[in-house]
């Protein structure tokens, strides 16, 4: 029997003692503002030195004048002291320690007009950074060899000079889904090896993998003699299941195929003794809808077995423990993510940290006694911590947003209710401080469909709370973190049971006295926008809707968007074999039933859900006389990244909710003192 110790939430304990009416509300203090959300610094990518003495990380800060965010490599001591920039350039990225702890590597763009990112190494005991590579194309992801003598890196193949010249002159037609192209221009790539010999740096690298290939993930063996990598011989959209794992003997170039199936493989790693490869795949045969399984391939015998098959944990990342007996992983357990340790012999799982929040980005010292992680909670947007895995103690390494310490931030409550068919659904409930009667409430739908609301920091939710709204965030059937059964709960039924999970959740918080039935709104992005659009065709109980990056008509999105999951799982079949279902489950087919005032957002460069979907939904609403507004963001993809665009989205969404839920027709947000430039947003109203 595979076992682990689950994280017990305070909410669950209170509920067990009959305290199910207790609510978690915002603390007192200044309210969280739009500019608090925009201005926050972020830290990510902790890299713990092999001796555990220091941690490299990336600090990301706002440059409002340039309308962008700027990242720099920083370093901090294991005691949380002496945090400082590690390199002088904001262009440096992807820092890593060499396994022997003597070097720090990173990438930096080099060149005059066409800058190409190259590898640099910097001695940790002092000195100047040395350019290690002079590759024709940019260095991508990379890994050190275990002996610190070389670096393996991924890079795109270059075009012949005459072909590249013609492309720059305008011969740049994209042959969709042919060769290395997908929806946009692509290129073949390969894994290269460069020796770390600094006397005559920079060096030419040696190509290891054959052409033409599209390489995904790769891992050099501990002895440096072999390379395991996942690859495809094409780059067609929606064809990730064609990836396979190959084992390359570096000296001879001989290859052995490890997998041959219809399942995508990723996250390759070697056991410390070099006898086994582990990887993540949904299945060993086909592309199942699955949280992702961890497989162990024994090289001498050729046998592959699944590890920890009987767990509902959703593994996010993992690393082999140096002794070879254990694997340490970060995994999501419902709304919290923590560190766990797998015994590969017994399949037992030990929980190493017990945080209420989201822990991620784990990096370990050489012995796996220490782990540097990023940790976020509903009232902490994310800082770095160092955990001692032997005694459970921890040290805070950063505090990058001290100005938020005095803000009124809300702690959500974990709530549960029974859906229409008896299935228990869990979600998060945010409430403003001092609410003693039912009031304005927003139903928020997560992306995915296999997304999940967690107890991390949610700036959008904090803004809504600050404006007096309660927020219900249901983890409907189809969500991750609850096991494969719930994950598969909306297969071939998108807009069915998941919609009922939303409505029964709203009913539950109305009955509880949190939400007012006449003051409800619905919002969501991506799948949240899709299910939100579907919701307002089913019911008129919502007084406002905010929908981002939606799909309204499944049939017209078949070729334009990225939709393997729609065909395989969420609708099934295709628009011809399953015509009626694809049509019936499209919100656009029922647009004449919508009465809810709706604001829509989309990026012009979105290749996942194309912007024409929001345009058509908006045009249909206006044609039918429904109040609607559509804000289109130039240069943006599936998410909105530019700071000015992000601020516009937050403000216009709040303006819409305030108008239709609270009657605040003349509401205006506080101005940003230094704001002077135009937003560059096309508003259609």
């Amino acid at each position: 029997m595979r076992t682990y110790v689950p994280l017990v939430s305070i909410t669950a304990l209170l509920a067990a003692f009959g305290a199910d009416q207790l609510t978690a509300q915002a603390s007192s203090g200044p309210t969280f503002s739009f500019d608090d959300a925009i201005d926050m610094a972020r830290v990510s990518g902790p890299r713990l030195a092999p001796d555990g003495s220091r941690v490299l990380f990336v600090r990301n800060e706002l440059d409002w004048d340039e309308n962008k965010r700027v990242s720099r490599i920083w370093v901090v001591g294991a005691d949380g002291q002496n945090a400082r920039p590690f390199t002088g350039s904001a262009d440096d990225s992807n820092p890593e320690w060499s396994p022997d702890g003597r070097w720090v590597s990173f990438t930096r763009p080099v060149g005059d007009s066409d800058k190409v990112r190259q590898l640099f190494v910097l001695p940790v005991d002092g000195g100047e950074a040395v350019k290690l590579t002079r590759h024709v194309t940019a260095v991508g992801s990379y890994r050190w060899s275990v002996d610190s003598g070389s670096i393996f890196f991924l890079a795109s193949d270059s075009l012949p000079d005459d072909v590249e010249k013609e492309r720059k002159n305008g011969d740049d037609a994209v042959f969709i889904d042919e060769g290395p192209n997908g929806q946009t221009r692509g290129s073949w790539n390969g894994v290269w090896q460069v020796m770390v010999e600094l006397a005559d740096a920079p060096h030419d690298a040696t190509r290891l993998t054959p052409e033409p290939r599209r390489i995904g993930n790769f891992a050099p063996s501990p002895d440096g003699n072999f390379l395991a990598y996942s690859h495809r011989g094409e780059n067609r959209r929606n064809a990730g299941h064609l990836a396979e794992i190959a084992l390359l003997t570096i000296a001879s170039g001989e290859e052995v195929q490890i997998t041959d199936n219809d399942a995508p493989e990723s996250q390759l790693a070697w056991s410390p003794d070099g006898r086994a490869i582990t990887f993540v795949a949904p299945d060993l045969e086909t592309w199942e809808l699955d949280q992702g399984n961890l497989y162990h391939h024994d090289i001498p015998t050729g046998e592959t077995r699944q590890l920890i098959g009987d767990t509902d944990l959703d593994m996010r990342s993992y690393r082999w423990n140096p002794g070879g007996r254990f694997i340490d992983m970060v995994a999501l357990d419902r709304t919290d993510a923590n560190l766990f340790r797998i015994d590969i012999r017994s399949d037992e799982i030990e929980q190493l940290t017990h945080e209420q929040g989201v822990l991620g980005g784990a990096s370990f010292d050489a012995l796996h006694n220490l782990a540097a992680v990023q940790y976020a909670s509903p009232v902490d947007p994310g800082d770095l911590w160092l955990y001692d895995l032997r005694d459970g103690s921890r040290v805070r390494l950063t505090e990058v947003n001290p100005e938020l310490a005095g803000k009124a931030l809300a702690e959500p409550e974990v709530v549960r209710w029974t859906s229409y068919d008896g299935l228990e659904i869990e979600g998060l409930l945010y409430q403003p401080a001092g609410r003693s009667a039912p009031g304005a409430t927003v139903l928020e739908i997560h992306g995915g469909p296999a997304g999940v609301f967690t107890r991390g920091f949610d700036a959008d939710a904090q803004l809504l709370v600050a404006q007096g709204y309660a927020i219900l965030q249901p983890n409907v059937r189809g969500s991750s973190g609850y096991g494969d059964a719930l994950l598969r709960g909306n297969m071939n039924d998108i807009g069915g049971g998941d919609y009922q999970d939303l409505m029964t959740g709203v009913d539950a918080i109305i009955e509880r006295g949190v939400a007012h039935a006449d003051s409800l709104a619905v919002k969501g992005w991506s799948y949240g926008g899709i299910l939100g659009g579907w919701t307002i065709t089913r019911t008129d109980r919502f007084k406002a809707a905010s929908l981002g990056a939606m799909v309204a008509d499944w049939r017209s999105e078949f070729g334009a968007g990225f939709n393997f999951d729609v065909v395989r799982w969420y609708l099934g079949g295709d628009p011809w074999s399953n015509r009626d279902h694809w049509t019936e489950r499209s919100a656009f087919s029922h647009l004449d039933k919508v009465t809810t005032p709706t604001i829509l957002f989309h990026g012009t460069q979105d290749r996942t859900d194309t912007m024409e979907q929001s345009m058509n939904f908006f045009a249909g609403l206006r044609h039918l006389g429904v109040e609607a507004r559509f804000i289109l963001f130039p240069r943006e993809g599936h998410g909105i990244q530019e700071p000015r665009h992000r601020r516009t989205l937050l403000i216009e969404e709040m303006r819409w909710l305030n108008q239709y839920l609270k009657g605040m027709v003349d509401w205006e947000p506080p101005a940003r003192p230094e704001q002077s430039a135009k937003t560059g947003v096309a508003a259609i109203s």
Side-chain angles (χ1 to χ4, degrees):
M1 179 68 178
R2 300 171 177 88
T3 60
Y4 72 98
V5 181
L7 180 65
V8 180
S9 71
I10 294 175
T11 303
L13 290 173
L14 292 172
F17 287 93
D20 54 32
Q21 297 301 310
L22 185 67
T23 60
Q25 298 183 335
S27 59
S28 61
T31 58
F32 187 76
S33 72
F34 296 98
D35 292 309
D36 287 332
I38 298 297
D39 293 349
M40 285 189 301
R42 306 166 187 166
V43 289
S44 61
R47 296 291 185 267
L48 180 58
D51 64 2
S53 62
R54 287 172 286 182
V55 178
L56 294 165
F57 63 96
V58 175
R59 181 183 174 112
N60 179 277
E61 295 178 313
L62 174 69
D63 185 336
W64 181 260
D65 291 338
E66 295 295 325
N67 192 32
K68 64 181 182 180
R69 298 190 68 89
V70 178
S71 296
R72 291 182 184 273
I73 300 173
W74 280 54
V75 66
V76 63
D79 57 359
Q81 302 299 309
N82 199 26
R84 65 193 186 280
F86 188 74
T87 62
S89 173
D91 291 327
D92 298 342
S93 61
N94 306 316
E96 296 286 353
W97 298 93
S98 63
D100 62 10
R102 296 176 56 209
W103 307 96
V104 169
S105 55
F106 58 90
T107 61
R108 172 183 291 174
V110 175
D112 297 325
S113 56
D114 297 329
K115 292 184 179 294
V116 176
R117 192 166 286 277
Q118 300 290 344
L119 269 170
F120 285 71
V121 291
L122 181 66
V124 298
D125 55 0
E128 296 295 324
V130 177
K131 180 182 173 185
L132 187 62
T133 58
R134 51 187 174 203
H135 207 64
V136 176
T137 60
V139 171
S141 59
Y142 69 91
R143 291 194 180 191
W144 280 87
S145 63
V146 172
D147 66 3
S148 300
S150 65
I151 295 177
F152 299 80
F153 65 88
L154 193 65
S156 297
D157 292 354
S158 59
L159 295 173
D161 291 344
D162 58 338
V163 176
E164 178 63 20
K165 181 179 179 180
E166 285 302 302
R167 189 187 69 82
K168 290 183 177 179
N169 287 336
D171 188 6
D172 57 356
V174 180
F175 291 72
I176 301 296
D177 284 353
E178 294 185 21
N181 299 327
Q183 286 175 297
T184 57
R185 180 179 297 280
S187 62
W188 302 117
N189 62 0
V191 178
W192 300 68
Q193 183 180 20
V194 62
M195 308 310 291
V196 184
E197 299 168 348
L198 301 184
D200 57 346
H203 308 301
D204 290 327
T206 301
R207 187 188 185 103
L208 302 180
T209 55
E211 304 177 66
R213 292 272 172 95
R214 285 284 299 182
I215 310 298
N217 189 239
F218 66 93
S221 63
D223 61 10
N225 293 327
F226 302 94
L227 181 76
Y229 68 97
S230 62
H231 66 93
R232 293 164 57 182
E234 44 66 57
N235 192 28
R236 283 182 291 147
R237 302 167 298 157
N238 308 314
H241 63 290
L242 298 178
E244 304 294 353
I245 299 174
L247 181 61
L248 173 73
T249 302
I250 292 176
S252 66
E254 181 184 357
E255 275 194 348
V256 176
Q257 197 85 351
I258 298 297
T259 61
D260 183 12
N261 55 34
D262 285 325
E265 295 88 13
S266 61
Q267 297 190 53
L268 277 63
W270 288 81
S271 62
D273 61 8
R275 291 177 54 87
I277 299 170
T278 47
F279 60 92
V280 174
D283 187 80
L284 283 181
E285 299 298 332
T286 187
W287 200 351
E288 298 283 358
L289 177 55
D290 196 286
Q291 289 190 149
N293 295 313
L294 181 61
Y295 292 97
H296 179 281
H297 177 81
D298 186 77
I299 294 173
T301 66
E303 294 181 357
T304 303
R305 65 184 177 96
Q306 184 180 347
L307 301 177
I308 56 170
D310 295 340
T311 180
D312 288 339
L313 293 175
D314 184 6
M315 187 184 70
R316 298 303 173 94
S317 64
Y318 75 94
R319 291 288 298 273
W320 276 87
N321 194 288
R325 170 76 181 269
F326 303 102
I327 289 174
D328 295 335
M329 69 173 178
V330 174
L332 181 68
D333 182 13
R334 303 175 79 92
T335 59
D336 299 292
N338 276 282
L339 272 173
F340 298 82
R341 179 163 288 170
I342 305 166
D343 186 322
I344 65 168
R345 297 179 187 172
S346 67
D347 258 5
E348 292 183 349
I349 304 175
E350 176 189 4
Q351 186 165 344
L352 301 179
T353 63
H354 298 78
E355 302 296 349
Q356 289 191 327
V358 177
L359 183 151
S363 175
F364 303 89
D365 69 337
L367 297 177
H368 279 225
N369 291 327
L370 304 173
V373 303
Q374 181 181 358
Y375 169 72
S377 75
V379 296
D380 186 340
D383 274 292
L384 303 183
W385 293 77
L386 185 67
Y387 284 79
D388 190 319
L389 301 180
R390 295 163 296 188
D391 60 17
S393 62
R394 65 177 189 169
V395 175
R396 185 171 191 149
L397 301 177
T398 65
E399 188 173 8
V400 293
N401 294 290
E403 68 281 359
L404 296 184
K407 296 286 183 177
L409 298 172
E411 278 273 8
E413 177 189 359
V414 178
V415 293
R416 301 180 182 93
W417 62 92
T418 302
S419 191
Y420 78 108
D421 57 355
L423 182 66
E424 182 182 78
I425 300 298
E426 185 175 88
L428 299 178
L429 176 63
Y430 291 80
Q431 291 201 63
R435 174 174 285 194
S436 58
T441 300
V442 176
L443 170 68
E444 184 174 7
I445 310 170
H446 64 61
V452 61
F453 287 114
T454 66
R455 287 176 50 83
F457 189 81
D458 189 332
D460 288 19
Q462 296 295 347
L463 283 172
L464 288 167
V465 169
Q467 295 293 319
Y469 293 95
I471 307 99
L472 177 64
Q473 298 177 331
N475 285 332
V476 299
R477 65 193 71 197
S479 301
S480 297
Y482 293 82
D484 289 341
L486 189 88
L487 180 71
R488 297 168 179 163
N490 60 353
M491 287 185 69
N492 301 323
D493 189 40
I494 191 168
D498 46 9
Y499 165 73
Q500 296 295 340
D501 298 341
L502 297 176
M503 295 302 99
T504 52
V506 169
D507 292 339
I509 63 170
I510 290 174
E511 182 179 357
R512 179 169 156 173
V514 172
H516 196 291
D518 294 328
S519 189
L520 297 172
V522 59
K523 66 169 285 188
W525 196 272
S526 190
Y527 165 69
I530 294 167
L531 188 54
W534 174 258
T535 294
I536 60 176
T537 71
R538 303 289 94 188
T539 178
D540 62 359
R541 69 193 302 185
F542 295 99
K543 306 307 178 187
S546 172
L547 309 176
M550 73 174 312
V551 172
D553 180 43
W554 290 117
R555 295 180 68 193
S556 65
E557 190 73 357
F558 176 79
F562 185 69
N563 54 22
F564 70 87
D565 52 353
V566 177
V567 173
R568 286 177 170 270
W569 305 319
Y570 296 119
L571 288 175
D574 55 48
W576 303 276
S577 66
N578 201 11
R579 180 192 304 268
D580 292 344
H581 190 57
W582 279 61
T583 302
E584 191 275 329
R585 290 300 168 97
S586 294
F588 196 72
S589 299
H590 311 284
L591 202 62
D592 57 342
K593 298 182 176 64
V594 176
T595 60
T596 303
T598 302
I599 189 168
L600 299 113
F601 305 96
H602 223 119
T604 60
Q605 303 304 307
D606 193 340
R607 305 295 184 198
T608 303
D609 299 338
T610 57
M611 76 90 172
E612 288 79 8
Q613 293 290 327
S614 290
M615 181 68 80
N616 285 336
F617 200 82
F618 164 74
L621 291 176
R622 294 298 298 271
H623 175 74
L624 294 166
V626 179
E627 291 294 324
R629 199 176 190 206
F630 179 25
I631 300 180
L632 184 63
F633 296 98
R635 300 175 301 279
E636 300 283 12
H638 196 52
I640 306 305
Q641 303 297 326
E642 293 184 17
R644 282 176 165 80
H645 284 170
R646 185 67 187 157
R647 194 176 194 274
T648 296
L649 188 159
L650 295 173
I651 287 172
E652 296 306 325
E653 179 180 71
M654 192 68 71
R655 192 192 310 276
W656 195 259
L657 297 177
N658 284 344
Q659 177 179 348
Y660 289 101
L661 266 68
K662 296 183 177 181
M664 300 170 64
V665 179
D666 298 324
W667 176 85
E668 289 292 337
R672 186 176 178 92
E674 66 271 33
Q675 185 173 3
S676 58
K678 294 182 180 179
T679 61
V681 174
I684 305 172
S685 58

